[in-house]
Amino acid sequence: MPPMNAHTFRRQASARSSSFLETLHALVALESPTFDLERAQRLADHLAALLAGDDWTVTRTETAAGALLTARLDGGDPQDGTLLLAHYDTVWPAGTLNEMPWRHEDDVVYGPGALDMKAGIVNAVHAMRLVREAGGPRGPVTLLLTPDEEAGSAYSRAAIEAEARRHARVLVLEPGREDGALKVGRKGVGLFTAHFAGRSAHAGTEPERGASAVRALAQFVLFAEGLADLDAGTTVAVTVVQGGTVTNVIAESARASVDVRFLRLAEGERVAAALADHDAAVEGVTFRLEGGINRGPMEPTPANRALAAEAQACLRAMGQEADTAVVGGVSDGNFTSALGVPTLDGLGSVGGGAHARHEHLRVQATLDRVALVAALLHGRAGQAGAP
């Protein structure tokens, strides 16, 4: 079979819209909140069967967050392998599907986890079907599906890094930017929890005998968010706070979650050190900080930009274009890029509203991503072809 050009992949991907949406609907229907083991296992069972039905060799590794699925297909140059990276957990609690049901309206699909990132998994499945019909991939392909990305990938990181070292490139199937831009860089992230321990007392009769952990927390919020440096690309957000027990008792305990994002590792370390040195500043209240830097930044390295240029050449062969971007959100691509493995992100669905109730994807733009991934896996499809 002669090499297939990228435009042909696009035409074939578009022609399989119904099959793509059927596969995606089945995944969205299986809710999979991070650390919900029963639901994670149910979806992992479905995914393992889906991949085995396409002749992937699937290995299942159980973790405390759920099953980690490693699927492999041989072909091409053994030294020219590609790792496809995706996660199947979502930020949505069980039951969200009742409030945000699957909807397909014109060119738009709605549903919890559809954009981020179940469509990315379906992208990999359908792209590989196209590639095999076109004569096979440029090299071996591994699809790694993880259960805990939304919570920091603590149980998956070692496997992600080990697989990345075995491959020539990593394609991350997270959503593209809303305008379709490919992601060559991401901020790093630090995740912290600040704990305050005070002393309870009756709030009406003897408040002076208490030591308010909530007051210390309130002062901490202003201190922590004041560490941001927007000019340097550093953000600090206190995102969850909890404190006290009942209305008429001075709060003896409180805690706050802090999300830190940074373009340069030195900035993340600056904020982390400042948070650790914080003084509760309320007499009788003690302060303790947990957490740290979860991922360093995914920098737009020459290797990452070269891989993006290859993708852009494939897009031009399809009569399309896409910008590249550095974004604030993190992904498991932060890990692989830090190892020096060429990494390109944003190759999954195209849409908007990740982690929001209007989460949605645009069907045709997402099918175009299927064609792009197929072209990159095929390795011979960026050639000019009749549009």
Side-chain angles (χ1 to χ4, degrees):
M1 180 176 295
M4 187 176 293
N5 64 59
H7 177 75
T8 304
F9 279 136
R10 186 184 186 216
R11 186 177 66 249
Q12 293 191 346
S14 297
R16 303 183 189 196
S17 173
S18 295
S19 177
F20 181 94
L21 291 174
E22 181 181 352
T23 309
L24 176 59
H25 190 182
L27 299 194
V28 174
L30 293 170
E31 293 182 292
S32 52
T34 313
F35 297 135
D36 186 327
L37 289 182
E38 180 180 350
R39 288 177 173 83
Q41 300 298 61
R42 191 178 303 144
L43 180 53
D45 290 344
H46 177 86
L47 290 168
L50 174 66
L51 293 167
D54 277 3
D55 295 324
W56 296 78
T57 300
V58 182
T59 301
R60 183 169 180 150
T61 304
E62 300 298 336
T63 78
L68 192 152
L69 301 179
T70 307
R72 304 188 194 278
L73 282 171
D74 293 330
D77 181 352
Q79 302 303 312
D80 200 17
T82 302
L83 173 63
L84 300 174
L85 195 53
H87 66 88
Y88 63 84
D89 61 318
T90 78
V91 299
W92 298 106
T96 300
L97 197 60
N98 296 326
E99 307 165 11
M100 296 169 52
W102 167 275
R103 287 187 293 137
H104 180 198
E105 299 177 355
D106 298 324
D107 187 52
V108 181
V109 162
Y110 299 86
L115 177 81
D116 185 15
M117 64 171 295
K118 292 180 177 179
I121 299 172
V122 181
N123 182 327
V125 170
H126 283 259
M128 198 61 206
R129 289 176 182 173
L130 295 178
V131 170
R132 297 181 81 184
E133 291 172 8
R138 66 201 290 174
V141 178
T142 299
L143 173 60
L144 184 61
L145 302 179
T146 65
D148 62 339
E149 190 273 345
E150 297 291 4
S153 301
Y155 296 99
S156 302
R157 179 173 180 173
I160 291 165
E161 292 178 336
E163 288 296 337
R165 291 187 177 99
R166 298 179 61 251
H167 294 80
R169 68 193 61 77
V170 178
L171 304 182
V172 184
L173 298 168
E174 292 277 1
R177 200 170 66 177
E178 190 162 352
D179 63 358
L182 302 169
K183 298 173 181 178
V184 295
R186 288 181 175 271
K187 288 186 178 182
V189 63
L191 303 173
F192 302 87
T193 303
H195 296 269
F196 301 87
R199 185 171 58 250
S200 63
H202 194 292
T205 61
E206 48 184 11
E208 70 281 359
R209 290 181 176 271
S212 175
V214 165
R215 181 178 178 184
L217 183 151
Q219 295 177 356
F220 172 80
V221 171
L222 299 177
F223 164 77
E225 295 197 343
L227 296 171
D229 184 343
L230 298 184
D231 290 339
T234 304
T235 61
V236 182
V238 178
T239 54
V240 180
V241 295
Q242 297 172 312
T245 52
V246 295
T247 302
N248 61 350
V249 175
I250 299 297
E252 68 177 358
S253 65
R255 65 180 182 178
S257 299
V258 186
D259 180 290
V260 181
R261 308 285 170 134
F262 45 90
L263 288 171
R264 294 185 296 112
L265 184 59
E267 272 292 285
E269 292 172 340
R270 173 187 69 81
V271 174
L275 292 175
D277 288 342
H278 178 67
D279 186 335
V282 173
E283 185 176 355
V285 177
T286 60
F287 168 76
R288 176 172 58 88
L289 186 72
E290 292 181 339
I293 293 175
N294 174 261
R295 293 173 173 88
M298 173 183 165
E299 299 182 10
T301 63
N304 292 353
R305 290 197 176 279
L307 186 52
E310 183 181 346
Q312 288 174 315
C314 291
L315 287 170
R316 286 192 295 272
M318 289 163 37
Q320 296 186 315
E321 293 184 1
D323 290 334
T324 60
V326 177
V327 298
V330 302
S331 81
D332 289 332
N334 288 58
F335 297 138
T336 64
S337 180
L339 298 174
V341 182
T343 301
L344 183 60
D345 204 334
L347 287 160
S349 53
V350 179
H355 299 192
R357 291 196 172 271
H358 64 285
E359 178 176 0
H360 66 278
L361 61 90
R362 303 195 300 276
V363 176
Q364 185 56 57
T366 299
L367 292 171
D368 290 345
R369 280 291 202 265
V370 174
L372 174 57
V373 172
L376 290 168
L377 292 175
H378 191 54
R380 300 176 296 278
Q383 59 185 323

